[in-house]
Amino acid sequence: MLSWMRKNLLRRETRRWVDEGLVEPFQAERILNRYGTSLNDTGPSALGLLTGLAGLFAGLALLLLVSANWEQLPRLARFAGLVTLTAVLNGWGVLRLARAGTGGGLLFLGGFAYGAS
């Protein structure tokens, strides 16, 4: 599976090939379909950046919440809650990564939950 950056580079290069007449548009589409993209796909957007920042701030908020209330939380609740949250986020991220290739954000949040524990 190619990363979005490599897909973007491949898409730009095949557009150049079509513009230069090296390949026909249908050939370029067949090449790109092999890697899960097409000539008409758009590149990365601001939405991806905002989603990444939202994940970062959610992870930082989790760290702040846990550290501010660490002493007030019962020991079993700290252990069970953080281990469960870590397992759920990482498990969900691995499943999404295996099925759709888009579980990186959940794995990132699972890393924050692991750090909080």
Side-chain angles (χ1 to χ4, degrees):
M1 181 68 61
L2 290 178
S3 68
W4 64 268
M5 184 181 226
R6 289 186 179 175
K7 286 181 184 180
N8 193 32
L9 291 172
L10 181 63
R11 191 172 31 255
R12 284 192 313 190
E13 189 63 28
T14 53
R15 282 186 188 136
R16 284 187 202 132
W17 295 344
V18 170
D19 293 342
E20 293 174 8
L22 297 173
V23 296
E24 296 295 322
F26 75 91
Q27 291 171 321
E29 282 294 334
R30 287 187 64 199
I31 292 169
L32 291 174
N33 283 339
R34 184 179 186 117
Y35 298 102
T37 186
S38 73
L39 284 173
N40 299 325
D41 285 348
T42 59
S45 65
L47 180 63
L49 176 65
L50 290 175
T51 304
L53 285 174
L56 175 67
F57 288 129
L60 291 173
L62 174 67
L63 287 174
L64 183 64
L65 180 70
V66 169
S67 65
N69 299 308
W70 189 254
E71 293 299 322
Q72 289 81 18
L73 293 172
R75 187 176 200 142
L76 183 61
R78 287 187 294 205
F79 176 74
L82 290 174
V83 168
T84 303
L85 182 63
T86 302
V88 167
L89 287 172
N90 284 324
W92 190 15
V94 167
L95 284 175
R96 288 207 40 182
L97 194 62
R99 290 185 183 161
T102 59
L106 290 168
L107 292 172
F108 184 67
L109 289 176
F112 269 107
Y114 177 75
S117 65

